Amino acid sequence: MLADVGDDRAWRIAYDGGVLEIRMPHLEHEVPKGLIESFIEATADELEIEVMKAGSLTLEREDLTRAVEPDTCFYIQNEASVRGKEI
C-alpha cells in the first residue's frame, strides 16, 4: 500500500498484528509536536550533541510484519552511524 501511494501524503500509518491505523494530523497535535521538536533541538544544541531530525520516516520491520510512521523522529545516539546515508 505504501509503495502504491508514495511518500507525498498527509496521513500517517501504523500496522501491527493485522490492524492498520490511518491518522490525519490536526493543528492541536501539530503545535505541541513542534514545541517538542524545538525542545529536543535546543537541548541538543546546548549540550553540544549532534542530532539528525528524520521527520516522519516510515520505520518497517519485515521480520515482525510491522510498520510505523512517527510524527517526527531523531537520530541522537546513532547520529554518527546514519550521517550522510540514505535511510
Side-chain angles (χ1 to χ4, degrees):
M1 184 171 104
L2 287 173
D4 290 339
V5 176
D7 292 330
D8 189 29
R9 58 190 148 70
W11 45 276
R12 308 276 188 268
I13 63 113
Y15 178 77
D16 183 20
V19 176
L20 177 64
E21 177 182 316
I22 301 174
R23 298 177 288 120
M24 297 291 293
H26 295 283
L27 186 61
E28 63 267 9
H29 176 84
E30 293 298 308
V31 171
K33 179 190 81 157
L35 292 172
I36 292 168
E37 290 171 344
S38 296
F39 174 76
I40 290 170
E41 291 170 330
T43 301
D45 187 49
E46 187 66 28
L47 297 173
E48 298 181 359
I49 298 171
E50 292 295 325
V51 171
M52 185 176 93
K53 183 177 173 182
S56 58
L57 181 69
T58 302
L59 306 168
E60 298 178 80
R61 287 282 306 266
E62 288 186 21
D63 60 322
L64 299 177
T65 63
R66 295 180 179 177
V68 67
E69 289 184 349
D71 298 313
T72 194
C73 63
F74 294 85
Y75 283 94
I76 299 172
Q77 182 176 351
N78 295 310
E79 186 275 338
S81 63
V82 296
R83 185 183 309 139
K85 293 183 180 176
E86 179 81 20
I87 302 173

